[in-house]
PDB file of all heavy atoms in Angstrom:
ATOM      1  N   ASP A1350      17.932  26.101  37.112  1.00 93.00           N
ATOM      2  CA  ASP A1350      17.436  26.602  35.828  1.00 93.00           C
ATOM      3  C   ASP A1350      18.489  27.418  35.074  1.00 93.00           C
ATOM      4  O   ASP A1350      18.609  27.305  33.860  1.00 93.00           O
ATOM      5  CB  ASP A1350      16.181  27.450  36.052  1.00 93.00           C
ATOM      6  CG  ASP A1350      15.011  26.594  36.539  1.00 93.00           C
ATOM      7  OD1 ASP A1350      15.103  25.358  36.424  1.00 93.00           O
ATOM      8  OD2 ASP A1350      14.029  27.160  37.051  1.00 93.00           O
ATOM      9  N   VAL A1351      19.221  28.245  35.806  1.00 95.00           N
ATOM     10  CA  VAL A1351      20.234  29.071  35.135  1.00 95.00           C
ATOM     11  C   VAL A1351      21.344  28.170  34.588  1.00 95.00           C
ATOM     12  O   VAL A1351      21.819  28.362  33.457  1.00 95.00           O
ATOM     13  CB  VAL A1351      20.804  30.130  36.105  1.00 95.00           C
ATOM     14  CG1 VAL A1351      22.011  30.835  35.492  1.00 95.00           C
ATOM     15  CG2 VAL A1351      19.732  31.148  36.448  1.00 95.00           C
ATOM     16  N   THR A1352      21.739  27.185  35.366  1.00 94.00           N
ATOM     17  CA  THR A1352      22.785  26.261  34.915  1.00 94.00           C
ATOM     18  C   THR A1352      22.324  25.510  33.669  1.00 94.00           C
ATOM     19  O   THR A1352      23.062  25.409  32.683  1.00 94.00           O
ATOM     20  CB  THR A1352      23.154  25.275  36.036  1.00 94.00           C
ATOM     21  OG1 THR A1352      23.466  26.022  37.221  1.00 94.00           O
ATOM     22  CG2 THR A1352      24.345  24.420  35.643  1.00 94.00           C
ATOM     23  N   ASN A1353      21.096  25.004  33.716  1.00 92.00           N
ATOM     24  CA  ASN A1353      20.566  24.318  32.525  1.00 92.00           C
ATOM     25  C   ASN A1353      20.558  25.243  31.323  1.00 92.00           C
ATOM     26  O   ASN A1353      20.885  24.832  30.210  1.00 92.00           O
ATOM     27  CB  ASN A1353      19.131  23.833  32.780  1.00 92.00           C
ATOM     28  CG  ASN A1353      19.095  22.631  33.701  1.00 92.00           C
ATOM     29  OD1 ASN A1353      20.140  22.000  33.939  1.00 92.00           O
ATOM     30  ND2 ASN A1353      17.938  22.321  34.239  1.00 92.00           N
ATOM     31  N   GLY A1354      20.184  26.474  31.547  1.00 92.00           N
ATOM     32  CA  GLY A1354      20.136  27.446  30.453  1.00 92.00           C
ATOM     33  C   GLY A1354      21.499  27.639  29.814  1.00 92.00           C
ATOM     34  O   GLY A1354      21.636  27.628  28.599  1.00 92.00           O
ATOM     35  N   ILE A1355      22.528  27.801  30.652  1.00 94.00           N
ATOM     36  CA  ILE A1355      23.879  28.014  30.115  1.00 94.00           C
ATOM     37  C   ILE A1355      24.355  26.769  29.374  1.00 94.00           C
ATOM     38  O   ILE A1355      24.894  26.852  28.279  1.00 94.00           O
ATOM     39  CB  ILE A1355      24.858  28.387  31.245  1.00 94.00           C
ATOM     40  CG1 ILE A1355      24.500  29.768  31.800  1.00 94.00           C
ATOM     41  CG2 ILE A1355      26.306  28.373  30.736  1.00 94.00           C
ATOM     42  CD1 ILE A1355      25.324  30.187  33.002  1.00 94.00           C
ATOM     43  N   GLU A1356      24.098  25.609  29.962  1.00 91.00           N
ATOM     44  CA  GLU A1356      24.559  24.359  29.336  1.00 91.00           C
ATOM     45  C   GLU A1356      23.914  24.129  27.979  1.00 91.00           C
ATOM     46  O   GLU A1356      24.499  23.499  27.113  1.00 91.00           O
ATOM     47  CB  GLU A1356      24.247  23.172  30.254  1.00 91.00           C
ATOM     48  CG  GLU A1356      24.981  23.232  31.592  1.00 91.00           C
ATOM     49  CD  GLU A1356      26.073  22.180  31.700  1.00 91.00           C
ATOM     50  OE1 GLU A1356      26.368  21.547  30.680  1.00 91.00           O
ATOM     51  OE2 GLU A1356      26.617  22.017  32.814  1.00 91.00           O
ATOM     52  N   SER A1357      22.684  24.636  27.811  1.00 89.00           N
ATOM     53  CA  SER A1357      21.963  24.349  26.563  1.00 89.00           C
ATOM     54  C   SER A1357      21.852  25.580  25.662  1.00 89.00           C
ATOM     55  O   SER A1357      21.008  25.605  24.774  1.00 89.00           O
ATOM     56  CB  SER A1357      20.574  23.828  26.892  1.00 89.00           C
ATOM     57  OG  SER A1357      19.847  24.827  27.587  1.00 89.00           O
ATOM     58  N   PHE A1358      22.706  26.568  25.889  1.00 91.00           N
ATOM     59  CA  PHE A1358      22.677  27.792  25.080  1.00 91.00           C
ATOM     60  C   PHE A1358      21.349  28.511  25.180  1.00 91.00           C
ATOM     61  O   PHE A1358      20.936  29.190  24.245  1.00 91.00           O
ATOM     62  CB  PHE A1358      22.997  27.509  23.604  1.00 91.00           C
ATOM     63  CG  PHE A1358      24.462  27.646  23.294  1.00 91.00           C
ATOM     64  CD1 PHE A1358      25.305  26.571  23.447  1.00 91.00           C
ATOM     65  CD2 PHE A1358      24.984  28.846  22.863  1.00 91.00           C
ATOM     66  CE1 PHE A1358      26.656  26.694  23.181  1.00 91.00           C
ATOM     67  CE2 PHE A1358      26.325  28.977  22.587  1.00 91.00           C
ATOM     68  CZ  PHE A1358      27.172  27.895  22.748  1.00 91.00           C
ATOM     69  N   GLY A1359      20.670  28.361  26.313  1.00 90.00           N
ATOM     70  CA  GLY A1359      19.429  29.111  26.507  1.00 90.00           C
ATOM     71  C   GLY A1359      19.701  30.316  27.380  1.00 90.00           C
ATOM     72  O   GLY A1359      19.137  30.476  28.455  1.00 90.00           O
ATOM     73  N   PHE A1360      20.594  31.183  26.896  1.00 93.00           N
ATOM     74  CA  PHE A1360      21.017  32.325  27.722  1.00 93.00           C
ATOM     75  C   PHE A1360      19.846  33.243  28.051  1.00 93.00           C
ATOM     76  O   PHE A1360      19.754  33.788  29.141  1.00 93.00           O
ATOM     77  CB  PHE A1360      22.112  33.120  27.019  1.00 93.00           C
ATOM     78  CG  PHE A1360      23.316  32.290  26.659  1.00 93.00           C
ATOM     79  CD1 PHE A1360      23.854  32.345  25.391  1.00 93.00           C
ATOM     80  CD2 PHE A1360      23.894  31.446  27.593  1.00 93.00           C
ATOM     81  CE1 PHE A1360      24.958  31.576  25.056  1.00 93.00           C
ATOM     82  CE2 PHE A1360      24.992  30.674  27.268  1.00 93.00           C
ATOM     83  CZ  PHE A1360      25.532  30.745  25.990  1.00 93.00           C
ATOM     84  N   ASN A1361      18.948  33.415  27.082  1.00 92.00           N
ATOM     85  CA  ASN A1361      17.787  34.272  27.338  1.00 92.00           C
ATOM     86  C   ASN A1361      16.907  33.664  28.424  1.00 92.00           C
ATOM     87  O   ASN A1361      16.348  34.391  29.247  1.00 92.00           O
ATOM     88  CB  ASN A1361      16.992  34.493  26.054  1.00 92.00           C
ATOM     89  CG  ASN A1361      16.545  33.190  25.426  1.00 92.00           C
ATOM     90  OD1 ASN A1361      17.255  32.184  25.488  1.00 92.00           O
ATOM     91  ND2 ASN A1361      15.362  33.190  24.833  1.00 92.00           N
ATOM     92  N   ALA A1362      16.802  32.344  28.445  1.00 92.00           N
ATOM     93  CA  ALA A1362      16.000  31.678  29.476  1.00 92.00           C
ATOM     94  C   ALA A1362      16.680  31.834  30.835  1.00 92.00           C
ATOM     95  O   ALA A1362      16.018  32.109  31.840  1.00 92.00           O
ATOM     96  CB  ALA A1362      15.820  30.207  29.124  1.00 92.00           C
ATOM     97  N   SER A1363      18.019  31.701  30.869  1.00 94.00           N
ATOM     98  CA  SER A1363      18.747  31.902  32.125  1.00 94.00           C
ATOM     99  C   SER A1363      18.497  33.309  32.654  1.00 94.00           C
ATOM    100  O   SER A1363      18.280  33.506  33.848  1.00 94.00           O
ATOM    101  CB  SER A1363      20.257  31.720  31.912  1.00 94.00           C
ATOM    102  OG  SER A1363      20.545  30.363  31.671  1.00 94.00           O
ATOM    103  N   ILE A1364      18.538  34.264  31.759  1.00 95.00           N
ATOM    104  CA  ILE A1364      18.365  35.652  32.184  1.00 95.00           C
ATOM    105  C   ILE A1364      16.952  35.895  32.693  1.00 95.00           C
ATOM    106  O   ILE A1364      16.753  36.592  33.696  1.00 95.00           O
ATOM    107  CB  ILE A1364      18.771  36.605  31.042  1.00 95.00           C
ATOM    108  CG1 ILE A1364      20.304  36.621  30.965  1.00 95.00           C
ATOM    109  CG2 ILE A1364      18.207  38.002  31.256  1.00 95.00           C
ATOM    110  CD1 ILE A1364      20.892  37.546  29.945  1.00 95.00           C
ATOM    111  N   ALA A1365      15.953  35.282  32.046  1.00 94.00           N
ATOM    112  CA  ALA A1365      14.572  35.426  32.539  1.00 94.00           C
ATOM    113  C   ALA A1365      14.473  34.895  33.962  1.00 94.00           C
ATOM    114  O   ALA A1365      13.817  35.496  34.814  1.00 94.00           O
ATOM    115  CB  ALA A1365      13.605  34.686  31.615  1.00 94.00           C
ATOM    116  N   LYS A1366      15.143  33.762  34.246  1.00 94.00           N
ATOM    117  CA  LYS A1366      15.125  33.205  35.606  1.00 94.00           C
ATOM    118  C   LYS A1366      15.820  34.152  36.584  1.00 94.00           C
ATOM    119  O   LYS A1366      15.397  34.293  37.730  1.00 94.00           O
ATOM    120  CB  LYS A1366      15.847  31.847  35.635  1.00 94.00           C
ATOM    121  CG  LYS A1366      15.182  30.778  34.813  1.00 94.00           C
ATOM    122  CD  LYS A1366      13.866  30.338  35.412  1.00 94.00           C
ATOM    123  CE  LYS A1366      13.209  29.299  34.509  1.00 94.00           C
ATOM    124  NZ  LYS A1366      11.812  29.058  34.842  1.00 94.00           N
ATOM    125  N   LEU A1367      16.889  34.772  36.121  1.00 96.00           N
ATOM    126  CA  LEU A1367      17.612  35.694  36.995  1.00 96.00           C
ATOM    127  C   LEU A1367      16.764  36.923  37.316  1.00 96.00           C
ATOM    128  O   LEU A1367      16.794  37.431  38.436  1.00 96.00           O
ATOM    129  CB  LEU A1367      18.942  36.094  36.355  1.00 96.00           C
ATOM    130  CG  LEU A1367      19.989  34.965  36.323  1.00 96.00           C
ATOM    131  CD1 LEU A1367      21.144  35.303  35.400  1.00 96.00           C
ATOM    132  CD2 LEU A1367      20.495  34.671  37.733  1.00 96.00           C
ATOM    133  N   TYR A1368      15.998  37.383  36.334  1.00 95.00           N
ATOM    134  CA  TYR A1368      15.061  38.478  36.590  1.00 95.00           C
ATOM    135  C   TYR A1368      14.057  38.054  37.663  1.00 95.00           C
ATOM    136  O   TYR A1368      13.789  38.779  38.617  1.00 95.00           O
ATOM    137  CB  TYR A1368      14.278  38.828  35.311  1.00 95.00           C
ATOM    138  CG  TYR A1368      14.872  39.951  34.474  1.00 95.00           C
ATOM    139  CD1 TYR A1368      15.459  39.685  33.246  1.00 95.00           C
ATOM    140  CD2 TYR A1368      14.797  41.270  34.894  1.00 95.00           C
ATOM    141  CE1 TYR A1368      15.989  40.702  32.459  1.00 95.00           C
ATOM    142  CE2 TYR A1368      15.317  42.297  34.113  1.00 95.00           C
ATOM    143  CZ  TYR A1368      15.916  42.006  32.895  1.00 95.00           C
ATOM    144  OH  TYR A1368      16.430  43.009  32.133  1.00 95.00           O
ATOM    145  N   ALA A1369      13.491  36.866  37.447  1.00 94.00           N
ATOM    146  CA  ALA A1369      12.456  36.398  38.370  1.00 94.00           C
ATOM    147  C   ALA A1369      13.031  36.248  39.778  1.00 94.00           C
ATOM    148  O   ALA A1369      12.389  36.633  40.763  1.00 94.00           O
ATOM    149  CB  ALA A1369      11.890  35.067  37.872  1.00 94.00           C
ATOM    150  N   PHE A1370      14.248  35.731  39.873  1.00 95.00           N
ATOM    151  CA  PHE A1370      14.835  35.532  41.199  1.00 95.00           C
ATOM    152  C   PHE A1370      15.175  36.872  41.858  1.00 95.00           C
ATOM    153  O   PHE A1370      15.052  37.025  43.072  1.00 95.00           O
ATOM    154  CB  PHE A1370      16.070  34.641  41.120  1.00 95.00           C
ATOM    155  CG  PHE A1370      16.642  34.312  42.462  1.00 95.00           C
ATOM    156  CD1 PHE A1370      15.863  33.702  43.440  1.00 95.00           C
ATOM    157  CD2 PHE A1370      17.958  34.641  42.781  1.00 95.00           C
ATOM    158  CE1 PHE A1370      16.379  33.403  44.692  1.00 95.00           C
ATOM    159  CE2 PHE A1370      18.486  34.354  44.039  1.00 95.00           C
ATOM    160  CZ  PHE A1370      17.688  33.737  44.993  1.00 95.00           C
ATOM    161  N   THR A1371      15.564  37.838  41.040  1.00 95.00           N
ATOM    162  CA  THR A1371      15.827  39.174  41.588  1.00 95.00           C
ATOM    163  C   THR A1371      14.545  39.739  42.193  1.00 95.00           C
ATOM    164  O   THR A1371      14.562  40.326  43.273  1.00 95.00           O
ATOM    165  CB  THR A1371      16.347  40.105  40.481  1.00 95.00           C
ATOM    166  OG1 THR A1371      17.488  39.503  39.882  1.00 95.00           O
ATOM    167  CG2 THR A1371      16.747  41.462  41.054  1.00 95.00           C
ATOM    168  N   ASN A1372      13.414  39.535  41.500  1.00 94.00           N
ATOM    169  CA  ASN A1372      12.129  39.991  42.047  1.00 94.00           C
ATOM    170  C   ASN A1372      11.825  39.291  43.367  1.00 94.00           C
ATOM    171  O   ASN A1372      11.385  39.927  44.327  1.00 94.00           O
ATOM    172  CB  ASN A1372      10.997  39.724  41.046  1.00 94.00           C
ATOM    173  CG  ASN A1372      11.096  40.640  39.837  1.00 94.00           C
ATOM    174  OD1 ASN A1372      11.726  41.703  39.900  1.00 94.00           O
ATOM    175  ND2 ASN A1372      10.516  40.226  38.725  1.00 94.00           N
TER     176      ASN A1372
END
Side-chain angles (χ1 to χ4, degrees):
Chain A
D1350 292 345
V1351 171
T1352 307
N1353 286 346
I1355 292 175
E1356 297 251 10
S1357 62
F1358 268 88
F1360 303 131
N1361 57 325
S1363 290
I1364 285 183
K1366 296 291 178 194
L1367 289 166
Y1368 266 109
F1370 185 57
T1371 305
N1372 290 339

